[in-house]
Amino acid sequence: MVDLYSVLGALKDLYGGRYLRPDVYVISLIPGDGIGPEIASATLEVIKKVVDVYGIRVDVRFVEAGDGALSKYGQALPQSSVDIIRKSHTCLKAPVGETSADVIVRLRIMLDLFANIRPVKSYPNTQALRGDIDLVVVRENTEDLYKGLEFYISNNTAVALRVITYEASKRVAEVAFKIASGRRKKVTAVHKSNVLRHTCGLFAKACRDVARNYPDVTYEEQYVDACAANLVRKPQNFDVIVTTNMFGDILSDEAAQVAGSLGLAPSCNLGYEYAIFEPIHGAAFDIAGKGIANPISMILSAALMFEWLGVKYSDDSCIRAARAINDAVYRVLSEGKVLTPDLGGSAKTYELASAIASKIA
Ligand code: ATP
């Protein structure tokens, strides 16, 4: 049976029961900038409730990183913050402002978080384009144009290098196929190999090679422009999309908006050892300080975090906690009484978080 709430369940063999379950899960929490601290404290309320109900021991350690850290310490990601993150079992991160690349891009490379997993689902009462969207974007997270290899070759000409390797493409494709195996068993590889013959060609070849090992999973390919259109035309047809770093960044924002709001979209930066969980959106300075940000993207990121802890440490309490959070979000949105302005309501961030926490019992 396909578990509607499970995104990471099929990744069990990535960790293979090799990890001893700790007595206390140490979670580093980056409150970030803009709306970050508001949605982080709202999410903490839900975490407190769920660990209480499911008897999970956690030690949440606040970590300074982002624009605030830069002005205070001269570094967006101070070494002391890196040390806390490295010693923790996982990290939950709120959005960071202008220094985002100095924080998350560095952490992705430092901790080899090679796959960015972005589930997109339509919920009731959220202005989603359709009610039956349920897809996952799996984005390569370490290379492509986002390596930042840009330079000027003359005063008026700048170039950027696009790095795509077979190995990085293959390991992200493996993750996509595993996730699809636990869902509706379909993978769409997205690229533009008719124009970018070498880089996208190599990515597509790696995906095809992995596809051969998953005969139960339907495999198809789409060019990125066609995929962008299809996400609006028939988003219900997608199950798992696997793509390169920049295409995945853009397509997952599009998919999240099609499903209602950026404020609903969580993500997981996955590695073989570690993982960081964060909303896909930015610091949203336009609404910061007003207490109206939608905290669901971060609350669902916390659900993904518990699911990953459950998978990595074979801990059923964490799996149940993840399900309980997902279920509580679904129930609150179905009732449609407590909605933030991005969903057409007038509730405050903390009111929505409290409504969700109150459904966890
Ligand atoms: P980045 O490039 O860092 O992703 P961005 O400039 O694309 O950032 P976001 O911060 O992601 O911008 O915000 C885009 C729009 O979505 C803004 O209008 C913002 O108000 C809205 N938005 C983002 N997150 C939320 C949220 N959690 N709740 C409500 N609205 C949000």
Side-chain angles (χ1 to χ4, degrees):
M1 196 184 83
V2 174
D3 177 352
L4 288 179
Y5 290 136
S6 173
V7 178
L8 307 176
L11 296 178
K12 259 196 172 71
D13 59 334
L14 222 56
Y15 302 100
R18 281 176 288 128
Y19 294 90
L20 214 58
R21 189 183 311 165
D23 289 337
V24 180
Y25 291 108
V26 179
I27 300 171
S28 32
L29 177 65
I30 301 178
D33 306 307
I35 60 170
E38 299 165 45
I39 60 173
S41 71
T43 302
L44 257 187
E45 188 181 336
V46 175
I47 290 178
K48 278 185 190 142
K49 183 71 185 284
V50 87
V51 297
D52 194 29
V53 169
Y54 290 92
I56 302 165
R57 293 178 66 202
V58 298
D59 174 4
V60 178
R61 302 199 180 154
F62 283 83
V63 178
E64 289 180 286
D67 300 358
L70 179 67
S71 53
K72 206 162 149 192
Y73 306 109
Q75 280 178 309
L77 185 63
Q79 188 55 43
S80 54
S81 298
V82 173
D83 292 343
I84 299 173
I85 293 169
R86 279 193 188 280
K87 282 188 199 136
S88 62
H89 293 100
T90 186
C91 173
L92 184 60
K93 176 188 160 293
V96 158
E98 296 305 318
T99 51
S100 175
D102 300 320
V103 177
I104 192 62
V105 177
R106 263 191 72 201
L107 286 170
R108 282 172 185 158
I109 291 167
M110 193 184 293
L111 301 165
D112 198 22
L113 308 178
F114 64 91
N116 195 291
I117 301 168
R118 298 182 158 196
V120 173
K121 199 170 160 55
S122 45
Y123 290 89
N125 297 310
T126 58
Q127 302 171 346
L129 221 56
R130 321 175 32 111
D132 55 357
I133 304 167
D134 183 5
L135 61 92
V136 180
V137 178
V138 179
R139 158 191 170 194
E140 202 290 321
N141 218 14
T142 60
E143 48 185 33
D144 195 355
L145 285 168
Y146 286 10
K147 268 203 176 294
L149 301 175
E150 288 190 299
F151 45 89
Y152 280 93
I153 52 171
S154 74
N155 278 347
N156 294 319
T157 309
V159 295
L161 291 181
R162 183 168 201 243
V163 180
I164 301 287
T165 64
Y166 181 80
E167 279 312 315
S169 305
K170 190 168 168 236
R171 65 182 180 169
V172 79
E174 288 278 2
V175 167
F177 275 89
K178 281 188 202 307
I179 290 176
S181 304
R183 291 172 45 93
R184 301 197 309 277
K185 297 188 171 24
K186 182 175 170 190
V187 169
T188 308
V190 175
H191 54 75
K192 189 72 183 170
S193 68
N194 54 337
V195 177
L196 300 168
R197 291 199 181 92
H198 297 304
T199 50
C200 275
L202 192 59
F203 179 77
K205 179 180 178 337
C207 291
R208 280 173 215 146
D209 288 351
V210 174
R212 277 194 277 280
N213 299 327
Y214 291 85
D216 292 352
V217 177
T218 305
Y219 175 69
E220 65 171 21
E221 295 179 17
Q222 288 185 15
Y223 292 135
V224 63
D225 40 358
C227 177
N230 286 333
L231 273 173
V232 177
R233 274 179 57 218
K234 35 188 182 180
Q236 72 281 8
N237 284 5
F238 290 103
D239 180 16
V240 176
I241 292 173
V242 62
T243 189
T244 48
N245 202 342
M246 191 170 79
F247 293 162
D249 190 13
I250 298 165
L251 292 176
S252 55
D253 268 35
E254 182 196 354
Q257 196 56 58
V258 166
S261 167
L262 278 178
L264 296 169
S267 79
C268 161
N269 295 278
L270 181 92
Y272 291 120
E273 298 283 333
Y274 198 80
I276 296 182
F277 300 82
E278 59 175 345
I280 75 163
H281 58 74
F285 287 111
D286 54 333
I287 54 167
K290 297 182 181 162
I292 56 165
N294 187 343
I296 289 180
S297 53
M298 186 133 177
I299 291 170
L300 290 178
S301 299
L304 270 180
M305 177 188 79
F306 280 112
E307 189 184 13
W308 180 77
L309 288 171
V311 167
K312 181 175 177 189
Y313 296 102
S314 308
D315 187 341
D316 278 347
S317 303
C318 287
I319 302 281
R320 286 203 297 274
R323 246 179 236 149
I325 298 174
N326 279 305
D327 193 48
V329 167
Y330 193 85
R331 284 166 61 200
V332 168
L333 291 174
S334 300
E335 287 173 7
K337 290 188 208 138
V338 188
L339 302 173
T340 41
D342 58 308
L343 303 176
S346 57
K348 297 280 188 188
T349 307
Y350 72 88
E351 289 172 327
L352 183 47
S354 298
I356 292 166
S358 74
K359 297 279 188 219
I360 298 171

